[in-house]
Amino acid sequence: MWKDSILASEGVTGVFHAAAGAPGATATLVVSSAGVARVDTAGAIFAQAPLGDLDISDRLGSVARRVIFPDGGLFETADNDGVDRLTGRKGPGFIASLERFHPRLILFAALIVALGVGVYRYALPAMVEIAVAWTPPAVPALMSKGALQSLDATVFGATTLDKERQHALLSGFNDLARHTPRGLAGYTLNFRSGGAIGPNAFALPDGNVVLTDELVALAKEDDEMIFGVFAHELGHVEHADSLRRLYRAAGVTGLIMLIGGDIGSGAEDILVQGAGLAALSYSREQEASADRYSVELMIKAGKDPTAIARFFRVLAEELGDKDRQDFFSTHPDTPGRIEEVERLAKELAGKD
Ligand SMILES: [Zn+2]
């Protein structure tokens, strides 16, 4: 009668031994919907018993599974999935082992996640610092040369500023450069007509600073505002912000190659990408510390430390809502920064 109640699912094929050590015969294990297990071949039943009375070995990799019947009959099969499927509901060994391993599995998964977060949060920043410290000066020089050459070939034109204005701006630039650790020799000011780039000022990692005519036009006659921007850009150079940004983008793998001295194609890609990355925006933290640098350097050079805040206001008025690739779009969150610059200038001026 139990022939009618056999599950529709397929049986599991294996070998049946009437007793341990007895010769085996190919057989099939099936389980009825009433929970009765049966081993048979075509026409002959070898063994049968309720599932709960079976002794089923735990799953262990691809080791053959043993199902022992109360009368000593042994069914063996390599079909682990099949045994789980047939007996999973009531297989005590399997459920027990699952419960035993569960907390350990969760702990293991948590450890893997923590390791990944740890590498990203702690190892990567530490490796970025090592890479910055070990970078030979030839690397930023090459990156900068490439970036400026490609900008000159594509968007920039020759400056149309008259010699007098250029001289006044250069003299302010040099005043600031003299008060930096890199000194006067560490910086070069380049005048350009901005073309599609428009009003902008940016520093390349080797200390070349580019100022566009369009930015000078926005400042009208207030050169002090441009000096504030220079001081901000010198801050990016002094802090090696471009390199940090570049190495962060390279990630752990790229840094291992770079620090390991394996200048293979991967490391070469990182350096080639550098030219493009020189035009990307800095992080919020980098901007904040460059603003701070501007305030401090302007005070050291005897200039107005709030000049850059004044310039942010002009930028917000002139370029406010427009969506473009200029100094303003790469220097967002202007109201907050104006406030911070003015607060800092007041704080530092109070100290002297
Ligand atoms: Zn900046």
Side-chain angles (χ1 to χ4, degrees):
M1 76 188 293
W2 77 288
K3 267 176 190 156
D4 301 325
S5 58
I6 288 174
L7 283 180
S9 62
E10 276 175 53
V12 173
T13 306
V15 175
F16 184 77
H17 305 267
T26 302
T28 305
L29 173 72
V30 290
V31 176
S32 76
S33 57
V36 176
R38 176 174 59 124
V39 175
D40 64 9
T41 62
I45 294 174
F46 289 139
Q48 80 177 54
L51 255 185
D53 293 350
L54 301 182
D55 183 4
I56 304 168
S57 65
D58 289 346
R59 182 167 184 155
L60 205 72
S62 57
V63 173
R65 206 67 168 276
R66 296 156 68 92
V67 178
I68 301 167
F69 283 77
D71 63 1
L74 166 67
F75 177 79
E76 253 183 335
T77 178
D79 186 357
N80 274 301
D81 288 340
V83 173
D84 288 344
R85 173 169 49 79
L86 283 185
T87 65
R89 282 175 304 156
K90 290 174 185 169
F94 176 70
I95 296 297
S97 71
L98 190 68
E99 274 163 1
R100 211 163 44 239
F101 276 97
H102 218 60
R104 224 188 293 174
L105 267 177
I106 291 169
L107 187 68
F108 183 70
L111 273 174
I112 292 293
V113 170
L115 191 69
V117 171
V119 163
Y120 187 76
R121 283 194 52 185
Y122 302 109
L124 182 58
M127 287 171 78
V128 165
E129 292 313 306
I130 294 170
V132 167
W134 287 8
T135 300
V139 171
L142 263 172
M143 280 165 48
S144 305
K145 203 175 164 203
L148 194 53
Q149 271 175 357
S150 67
L151 285 167
D152 276 339
T154 51
V155 281
F156 285 160
T159 180
T160 57
L161 290 182
D162 60 55
K163 287 280 165 214
E164 228 170 294
R165 192 76 191 272
Q166 284 187 40
H167 189 266
L169 290 168
L170 180 59
S171 125
F173 180 85
N174 287 342
D175 283 347
L176 294 166
R178 266 187 213 101
H179 289 87
T180 66
R182 288 167 66 105
L184 197 54
Y187 291 98
T188 307
L189 179 59
N190 302 271
F191 295 99
R192 292 288 190 278
S193 172
I197 282 181
N200 213 329
F202 61 90
L204 295 165
D206 70 341
N208 267 290
V209 174
V210 177
L211 174 69
T212 69
D213 295 353
E214 290 85 345
L215 190 120
V216 177
L218 272 182
K220 305 209 166 66
E221 297 303 310
D222 191 347
D223 284 354
E224 201 84 353
M225 296 199 302
I226 297 175
F227 299 152
V229 172
F230 284 158
H232 172 100
E233 293 303 324
L234 301 197
H236 283 314
V237 177
E238 293 292 337
H239 299 150
D241 285 342
S242 301
L243 278 182
R244 284 204 172 75
R245 193 179 35 167
L246 174 64
Y247 289 153
R248 208 156 227 295
V252 171
T253 317
L255 284 173
I256 288 170
M257 289 192 300
L258 216 59
I259 295 172
D262 172 21
I263 303 294
S265 62
E268 226 173 83
D269 282 351
I270 294 163
L271 296 179
V272 170
Q273 276 174 14
L277 282 166
L280 289 181
S281 54
Y282 296 102
S283 74
R284 194 173 274 258
E285 291 75 27
Q286 288 177 329
E287 290 303 346
S289 83
D291 284 349
R292 187 184 181 94
Y293 195 86
S294 174
V295 170
E296 290 170 349
L297 185 57
M298 290 291 275
I299 291 173
K300 269 188 214 160
K303 299 183 190 300
D304 176 8
T306 61
I308 192 167
R310 207 156 67 236
F311 190 60
F312 281 144
R313 278 210 183 86
V314 171
L315 285 170
E317 278 162 28
E318 301 282 326
L319 309 171
D321 312 319
K322 293 173 197 160
D323 180 27
R324 38 197 290 183
Q325 280 300 308
D326 48 37
F327 187 82
F328 186 61
S329 72
T330 55
H331 290 75
D333 186 29
T334 306
R337 293 174 67 184
I338 291 172
E339 246 170 64
E340 179 59 14
V341 162
E342 287 175 342
R343 188 196 65 76
L344 208 59
K346 206 179 266 178
E347 180 194 310
L348 294 179
K351 258 194 233 162
D352 297 337

